[in-house]
Amino acid sequence: MQVFPFIVVAWILAVGLYGVVTSRHLVHQIICLIVVQSSTYVLLLGVGYVTGAVAPYFFDVPNHTPAVDPVVQACALTDVVVEAAVTALLLSFAIQAYKRFGTLDPQELAALKG
Amino acid sequence: MDQLLPLVVVVPLLVAAAVTAFGPLLRSRRRLLDLAAILAAAAVAVMLCVIMVRTTGGDQVYWFGGFRPARGVSIGIDFEVQPISAGLACLAAVLVTAAMTFSWRYFERVATYFQALMLTFLAGIVGFCLTGDLFDLFVWFELMGVSAYALTAYRPEERGPIQGALNFAITNSVGAYLSLSGIALIYGQTGALNMAQIGVAVAKHPADRLVVVAFLLVIAGLLIKSAIVPFHFWLADAHAVAPTPVCVLFSGVMVELGLYGIARVYWSVFGQALGHRAAISHVFLALGLLTAVTGAVFCFRERHIKRMLAFSTISHAGMFLIGIALLTPLGLAGAAVYVIGHGLVKAALFLCTGIVLHRLGSVNEPWLHGRGRPLRVTGVVFTLAGLGLADLPPFATFLGKGWIEASAGPWLIPVLIVCSSLAGGAVLRVAGGVFYGLGDRPTEDPQMAREAAEETSETAGGKNRTPLTMIVPPAILVVAAIVIGVIGQLGHFVQAAAVRFEDEAGYDATVLHGAHITHPVALSAAGPTAVTATDVLAGLGSVLGALIMAGLALYWRRLPLLRAYRPSASLAASARRFQSGVVNDYITWVVIGLACLGGVFAFVVRLAGSAPPASDLTPRASRISHASPLLPAPSHNVVTTTRL
Amino acid sequence: MTPRQRRWIFLVAGAGLVAFYLWGLLGLPGFGRYPGPYGPAILRVVVAQTNATGVVSAINFDYRGFDTVGEEFILFVAAAGVATVLRRLRGERDRPAVDEAADRDVPDTSSAVRMVALLSVGPVVLAGWWLASHAQTNPSGGFQGGVMLATAFVLIYLSGEFLVFKRFSPVDLTDVVEAVGAAGFAAIGVSAVAMGLPYLKNYLPLGQVPGAVSSSGTIALISFFVGIEVAAAFILIVGELLDQTLLIRRYSSGRGG
């Protein structure tokens, strides 16, 4: 199936966005943001795959064995760290929101704030 | 290769880390760290000026790690610096210096993190402006974003900052992830991350559906960052609650960076492949007009000074987008100068608001009526800046707007006059009411009073005098805006820079083959940049309009016509419904906006059918040797391959 | 918008956006048919140029090292932001530090959990260190190793010894270590500039055997700095989050909520 991984990418994005938009709980919303980001991982790793090739590590295979694209893997690694950083920051906001507002519902946050 | 280029990004990062590392040790000598941070930002500004001057003779390209491209394939990351990029980064550095100087006495308690966060914010901005690699663009975009989220939530004692920061962070993160999806998509087809290389590869498949989708996704994050309607809702929330020095940067640079990114991605990567320049220009023009008008209208009805300035930023972002969307060198030059003028003037306005907050403890306009009379110098600076915002000649804003109108044609003039009048009128209304006590005392809106009351905990004591470090930066910024407007050669210089910015073939040759282009090909004729009578009339017209609007707002009770009419009530209700403060709504609007734009692009580029005009199909690589018939001066490109 | 309206509007608009996205995705070359040229261009030269057999780390720390500098500082900023937002504020005070929150209904830590957690700390530290020092060889690297090192500290907390965790990871020290890690990476690049080379040029000796621990020049050194930065950042973040529950409490006359 040559397009199946990409259909999965679109599905994950859709599910994540749906979760963010219909969420009633801040932590759930932040996790759905992670899901949205995960669609980009699948996309990155999916476009770099080469059928029949090995992982791009040459300590146990000869030097010029055909390998999958290493650049997207490096990009995905960067993205994981970026996402972890953003999530940590957002979760700390959520903790403070709970302390200040007493609720984690985005709609009630807006109402209480005025 | 110019070794200043990596230093401009690395110096603020290193100083930020140093300030954090030495923070616990030097707790009693906090001022030392403050000073180190301000000096670092000032040094970056100076370095960027030098770089900007050096790039007037030709683009500067810097390959990190020494990995140069071979046969048109690049394996490393590059910086590709043009005068417009360096100029925008320089503006950012100047504003960061001004904001940090202002905060010398502004905050009650400053943890060391404030300077570190401002410096990393600056580093992200500079990296974003200078880079020539699409994934690198995303990384600096995220650094800028994460620093901004942390700075918005800087006073978590109050309720507002946390909620504003959450809305800001979630909306912009969704945008960033969509941009990343676009980058991955275009990588899948072209196997390249370098902008020039992608441009060359993509130009071989004009109007490919993947190119259209990738373009929309990549600019999705940038559109959200630049607060274009309907992606703009987060901006007012963030501005209302972020500390005032931080708002300076948001309005002065961050929003404009989104627009710079759109222009850069269009001209350096996707422009040739998308074709259909007229149709795409119209789409962005429509977006810009919608944003300009919406922002201006909402700006005028706001009574919370910082939110009002935020909506004015949205309106001006629309006007900048109009300038860029014209796709001509003159339009781009106009937008560039308008950005600089607006950045300086808006920063001065925010800093003056900070002074008001410091001395009087509120940003609620009705409450402040007449109380600003003791702040004489601040009043003068604020009023001057307000006039600059209304495009009074000879401010740089007037110059930029004039060029945009000259490039677009006479139909744009009334629209821009109306928008400038509303935005400038709101600021002049504040100036007149707060600092001079003009007009009748307005009734107070209880909700806004509550919002404004939350602002008090930002500032430190000592409220009888305005410290010098707080009043000097805005004064200098306003003077700079005037000075830039009167530089004679500015028009020629900026338009030449804009022509270089739009020269796709030259960009590719410079990056991938080490060429040194001195006379780039213009896609359309260079326009006249002398100040014409029409420009002056238009500028004076918008100032007059602003004064009229301000006067109406201040004295409307005395006019029998308006006494029975409550103009702001119905507008207020509808505004509240849209600007709900619920981030789920904002994301829904983002999805609606992207779906509509996607449909329009798909229709225009793929399904509209007619072949693009012949000149669009000239392959990028061969443009170098064509003598362009459009430039007035004889111009064959002088291409010398020099070792960089 | 009411939640109901929002859901329906989103379903319509979202379907449009996803359809548009799929329309573009279907224009890709097909799964498994990556066309290059970036990947093959690097694979051709990487072992010869850097003596590293871990190509992904070579890309992260050498070819595209500048991206990684930015990403390091994103993590740095996030940790600073968490510390800013969750610091002890006016109106709050530290309560006497306890290992477990008194107002939560938590079962006592069983001895089995305590023992296993404490016994695992040593091996986890060792594993993290091994990962961080083998970036140039196999799929390990600074990030992976750093996160494992951070989890070793979290294991101490999980074994019920929050106070020990706090003693081993004071905020000031982790701040400094994190800053040193981030600055160290950027400074390695600057040292190249000081020598007249392009920023982040790999100028240290490349070693004899590809993929050996002491090979590949600056890649191994950068991986070390990244490891300590990531470890410090995550310890800081987890520590701040735990402080909120176990250490900091508002005055009872708090402001609403």
Side-chain angles (χ1 to χ4, degrees):
Chain A
M1 270 281 250
Q2 298 214 315
V3 299
F4 183 63
F6 305 127
I7 298 181
V8 169
V9 169
W11 172 250
I12 297 177
L13 180 76
V15 165
L17 278 179
Y18 179 78
V20 173
V21 166
T22 57
S23 177
R24 299 294 298 252
H25 191 287
L26 216 49
V27 177
H28 169 264
Q29 208 167 38
I30 295 170
I31 306 279
C32 288
L33 211 55
I34 297 180
V35 172
V36 170
Q37 169 77 314
S38 308
S39 77
T40 59
Y41 302 150
V42 179
L43 182 61
L44 273 172
L45 297 171
V47 298
Y49 186 68
V50 178
T51 324
V54 301
Y57 293 96
F58 296 123
F59 63 94
D60 56 351
V61 292
N63 221 338
H64 291 285
T65 326
V68 301
D69 179 29
V71 177
V72 285
Q73 300 193 6
C75 293
L77 203 62
T78 306
D79 291 338
V80 169
V81 175
V82 167
E83 180 212 45
V86 172
T87 308
L89 197 59
L90 283 175
L91 286 173
S92 71
F93 290 171
I95 290 185
Q96 274 294 0
Y98 186 70
K99 281 169 75 169
R100 300 294 148 203
F101 290 85
T103 173
L104 281 174
D105 187 336
Q107 265 158 239
E108 288 182 36
L109 285 182
L112 283 175
K113 190 211 168 246
Chain B
M1 295 197 290
D2 187 4
Q3 294 285 48
L4 268 187
L5 286 170
L7 288 181
V8 165
V9 175
V10 172
V11 161
L13 290 178
L14 281 176
V15 175
V19 163
T20 314
F22 290 119
L25 297 171
L26 292 174
R27 206 149 269 171
S28 55
R29 309 269 191 98
R30 196 193 103 200
R31 290 306 187 192
L32 228 67
L33 299 171
D34 290 354
L35 193 61
I38 295 178
L39 286 176
V44 169
V46 168
M47 286 195 276
L48 281 165
C49 270
V50 170
I51 292 174
M52 184 165 58
V53 168
R54 284 192 199 165
T55 53
T56 49
D59 295 359
Q60 294 228 323
V61 181
Y62 186 91
W63 289 99
F64 284 91
F67 294 108
R68 292 175 180 285
R71 285 189 297 271
V73 174
S74 83
I75 54 176
I77 300 177
D78 71 318
F79 264 5
E80 207 278 350
V81 189
Q82 297 177 331
I84 290 188
S85 334
L88 191 57
C90 188
L91 175 70
V94 166
L95 291 183
V96 168
T97 317
M100 288 208 285
T101 313
F102 181 84
S103 355
W104 187 267
R105 285 210 183 274
Y106 184 66
F107 283 112
E108 214 161 54
R109 289 178 312 136
V110 182
T112 38
Y113 295 121
F114 181 74
Q115 286 91 355
L117 288 173
M118 292 285 259
L119 285 172
T120 53
F121 192 45
L122 177 63
I125 292 177
V126 175
F128 185 88
C129 288
L130 301 185
T131 187
D133 182 284
L134 211 54
F135 190 75
D136 203 35
L137 193 79
F138 168 76
V139 170
W140 298 118
F141 183 78
E142 277 289 300
L143 180 62
M144 193 169 70
V146 177
S147 306
Y149 312 153
L151 283 168
T152 309
Y154 195 69
R155 290 173 301 124
E157 293 101 353
E158 311 299 336
R159 293 176 160 193
I162 289 295
Q163 204 245 359
L166 273 167
N167 288 359
F168 180 19
I170 294 181
T171 315
N172 280 50
S173 291
V174 168
Y177 299 155
L178 289 172
S179 285
L180 186 60
S181 305
I183 296 175
L185 205 58
I186 201 72
Y187 180 80
Q189 185 177 70
T190 59
L193 288 175
N194 182 285
M195 289 201 236
Q197 195 183 337
I198 298 179
V200 170
V202 164
K204 298 192 190 113
H205 315 270
D208 188 359
R209 58 182 166 168
L210 186 146
V211 169
V212 176
V213 175
F215 176 62
L216 183 71
L217 286 175
V218 169
I219 64 172
L222 297 166
L223 283 170
I224 294 177
K225 182 69 84 182
S226 34
I228 302 295
V229 171
F231 310 109
H232 69 288
F233 294 100
W234 61 270
L235 188 70
D237 286 356
H239 269 74
V241 299
T244 313
V246 174
C247 290
V248 163
L249 293 172
F250 285 0
S251 266
V253 189
M254 196 177 73
V255 166
E256 288 74 4
L257 274 171
L259 293 167
Y260 166 83
I262 294 176
R264 172 64 119 192
V265 165
Y266 180 77
W267 286 109
S268 304
V269 185
F270 289 101
Q272 174 73 24
L274 284 173
H276 297 92
R277 283 190 204 270
I280 293 191
S281 169
H282 290 326
V283 170
F284 280 109
L285 267 176
L287 273 180
L289 283 169
L290 179 63
T291 310
V293 173
T294 313
V297 169
F298 278 70
C299 168
F300 195 71
R301 69 154 279 278
E302 270 295 338
R303 297 279 158 173
H304 182 301
I305 299 183
K306 280 160 71 171
R307 282 180 91 102
M308 177 196 79
L309 292 174
F311 278 113
S312 139
T313 302
I314 294 177
S315 171
H316 283 276
M319 295 194 236
F320 304 150
L321 185 60
I322 291 176
I324 296 174
L326 294 168
L327 297 184
T328 60
L330 188 60
L332 187 62
V337 171
Y338 205 177
V339 161
I340 293 185
H342 167 265
L344 294 169
V345 162
K346 190 53 76 69
L349 286 171
F350 268 109
L351 291 179
C352 291
T353 312
I355 296 179
V356 167
L357 189 55
H358 178 83
R359 294 281 300 271
L360 302 172
S362 170
V363 287
N364 183 10
E365 189 192 339
W367 184 87
L368 283 169
H369 191 268
R371 287 179 211 242
R373 267 179 267 228
L375 295 94
R376 278 187 296 264
V377 181
T378 312
V380 168
V381 175
F382 193 91
T383 314
L384 269 180
L387 288 170
L389 202 67
D391 306 322
L392 177 74
F395 277 88
T397 46
F398 153 73
L399 213 56
K401 195 168 81 128
W403 294 343
I404 296 178
E405 289 165 350
S407 181
W411 62 270
L412 192 60
I413 299 184
V415 177
L416 290 188
I417 288 186
V418 166
C419 294
S420 291
S421 303
L422 284 172
V427 174
L428 289 174
R429 178 191 76 209
V430 170
V434 170
F435 293 106
Y436 300 107
L438 300 173
D440 313 312
R441 185 178 211 95
T443 53
E444 200 157 304
D445 185 288
Q447 180 162 330
M448 293 206 213
R450 207 173 350 141
E451 274 181 22
E454 289 192 346
E455 297 281 341
T456 52
S457 66
E458 234 178 67
T459 65
K463 311 207 186 212
N464 295 325
R465 284 182 47 249
T466 309
L468 267 180
T469 55
M470 287 172 76
I471 188 60
V472 166
I476 294 184
L477 291 174
V478 170
V479 168
I482 300 179
V483 164
I484 291 181
V486 296
I487 297 177
Q489 280 301 307
L490 190 70
H492 171 77
F493 168 67
V494 179
Q495 194 172 194
V499 168
R500 279 243 296 278
F501 195 87
E502 301 184 351
D503 179 18
E504 297 145 332
Y507 184 84
D508 299 339
T510 312
V511 170
L512 296 175
H513 306 291
H516 187 75
I517 315 262
T518 51
H519 292 292
V521 175
L523 285 179
S524 48
T529 56
V531 175
T532 64
T534 327
D535 294 341
V536 176
L537 278 178
L540 288 174
S542 57
V543 172
L544 194 63
L547 288 169
I548 293 177
M549 296 301 300
L552 277 177
L554 288 169
Y555 292 104
W556 65 276
R557 278 194 201 81
R558 304 199 191 164
L559 295 170
L561 223 67
L562 294 180
R563 213 179 297 162
Y565 173 59
R566 298 285 308 277
S568 54
S570 54
L571 207 53
S574 62
R576 285 273 143 69
R577 208 170 342 125
F578 284 121
Q579 191 81 30
S580 59
V582 182
V583 70
N584 310 26
D585 283 351
Y586 299 176
I587 307 280
T588 313
W589 279 110
V590 165
V591 173
I592 294 175
L594 286 176
C596 293
L597 265 182
V600 168
F601 277 132
F603 178 73
V604 159
V605 180
R606 287 283 294 187
L607 306 172
S610 59
S615 62
D616 273 10
L617 290 178
T618 321
R620 281 170 77 119
S622 71
R623 284 230 188 158
I624 298 175
S625 48
H626 286 177
S628 163
L630 297 171
L631 278 180
S635 63
H636 23 266
N637 281 325
V638 179
V639 179
T640 55
T641 310
T642 54
R643 287 184 63 80
L644 290 168
Chain C
M1 299 179 208
T2 68
R4 232 181 105 78
Q5 284 172 341
R6 197 184 303 138
R7 183 185 309 246
W8 281 109
I9 295 178
F10 173 77
L11 282 175
V12 170
L17 183 62
V18 170
F20 181 70
Y21 193 21
L22 270 173
W23 185 61
L25 281 170
L26 295 176
L28 279 171
F31 183 65
R33 299 225 222 105
Y34 168 65
Y38 203 169
I42 289 201
L43 288 170
R44 241 193 322 263
V45 295
V46 63
V47 181
Q49 273 186 353
T50 62
N51 241 356
T53 51
V55 182
V56 176
S57 294
I59 294 180
N60 254 335
F61 300 133
D62 198 4
Y63 290 94
R64 297 189 69 91
F66 195 54
D67 272 352
T68 314
V69 173
E71 167 205 348
E72 280 295 285
F73 276 91
I74 292 178
L75 192 56
F76 173 83
V77 166
V82 169
T84 306
V85 170
L86 294 183
R87 70 186 172 218
R88 181 161 50 90
L89 301 168
R90 199 183 37 190
E92 293 182 344
R93 61 161 189 267
D94 283 354
R95 55 177 138 190
V98 290
D99 285 330
E100 296 172 4
D103 48 353
R104 302 248 173 135
D105 185 19
V106 185
D108 288 336
T109 316
S110 79
S111 322
V113 170
R114 205 183 289 262
M115 187 176 74
V116 169
L118 284 175
L119 280 179
S120 315
V121 170
V124 168
V125 169
L126 219 60
W129 194 258
W130 186 88
L131 281 180
S133 51
H134 278 75
Q136 61 275 19
T137 316
N138 50 30
S140 41
F143 297 107
Q144 298 88 317
V147 175
M148 277 201 88
L149 281 171
T151 50
F153 282 78
V154 176
L155 277 174
I156 300 178
Y157 157 70
L158 278 177
S159 68
E161 301 288 343
F162 176 65
L163 294 171
V164 176
F165 168 74
K166 285 303 287 184
R167 198 162 358 121
F168 273 107
S169 59
V171 173
D172 289 349
L173 182 63
T174 44
D175 243 354
V176 172
V177 171
E178 190 201 4
V180 164
F185 187 174
I188 291 177
V190 173
S191 64
V193 170
M195 297 196 306
L197 298 167
Y199 185 79
L200 276 183
K201 177 130 183 80
N202 191 346
Y203 61 86
L204 288 178
L206 291 178
Q208 305 289 75
V209 180
V213 177
S214 64
S215 69
S216 72
T218 50
I219 294 180
L221 191 61
I222 291 175
S223 176
F224 165 73
F225 277 111
V226 167
I228 66 174
E229 201 252 348
V230 169
F234 280 109
I235 293 172
L236 195 80
I237 291 174
V238 171
E240 291 283 348
L241 293 174
L242 287 174
D243 272 358
Q244 286 293 306
T245 318
L246 294 172
L247 217 54
I248 292 181
R249 190 205 13 215
R250 271 212 314 243
Y251 280 124
S252 50
S253 62
R255 323 139 156 247

